[in-house]
Amino acid sequence: MPEQLTKHPGVTLEVLRSAGAQCAEGVPQVILTSCPAERFCKLPGGEICVFGLDDASKMTQITSTEWRALLPSALPESPSTSESFMSEALLSGGLGLLAGVAIGLAVSHLRRRPH
């Protein structure tokens, strides 16, 4: 019987209940005996244990090796160091150019003022 991982375990339990599952009702756990009672559902066709992200480490059917294999695909790609450096350099250069123009305009305005 499966363990399920979801971002919204409460909603998942409600959906299962709406389909006739007995969830968190203290029914006997025949196969998923280590499932927390509040996350356990029994259906006519079997049992389901619903885990939220905070409880993922308590799952028993996924090994640490399998979690590690999933991790690289779950992380967003970060820009390389050279790309990051280049974007920071362009931003700094652009800000420096704008500051230089602003200072130049201010100085030319002060010079044109009659004394």
Side-chain angles (χ1 to χ4, degrees):
M1 295 293 107
E3 293 178 330
Q4 301 294 314
L5 179 62
T6 176
K7 189 172 183 178
H8 306 286
V11 173
T12 302
L13 291 169
E14 285 302 315
V15 169
L16 288 167
R17 282 187 192 103
S18 75
Q22 294 175 291
C23 300
E25 296 178 12
V27 295
Q29 296 175 224
V30 178
I31 298 170
L32 298 175
T33 57
S34 62
C35 179
E38 68 276 4
R39 300 290 188 189
F40 177 78
C41 293
K42 184 150 186 113
L43 292 127
E47 302 175 352
I48 294 177
C49 189
V50 180
F51 287 93
L53 295 177
D54 293 344
D55 298 321
S57 64
K58 297 176 185 172
M59 296 177 76
T60 62
Q61 295 177 353
I62 300 176
T63 66
S64 58
T65 302
E66 292 167 326
W67 281 118
R68 280 192 294 278
L70 290 173
L71 191 59
S73 64
L75 297 175
E77 288 188 36
S78 60
S80 68
T81 305
S82 62
E83 288 175 10
S84 178
F85 175 75
M86 287 300 295
S87 62
E88 288 177 20
L90 286 173
L91 180 61
S92 297
L95 290 175
L97 180 62
L98 287 174
V101 169
I103 291 169
L105 288 173
V107 168
S108 72
H109 179 69
L110 288 174
R111 285 188 172 175
R112 284 192 239 165
R113 285 178 62 195
H115 293 278

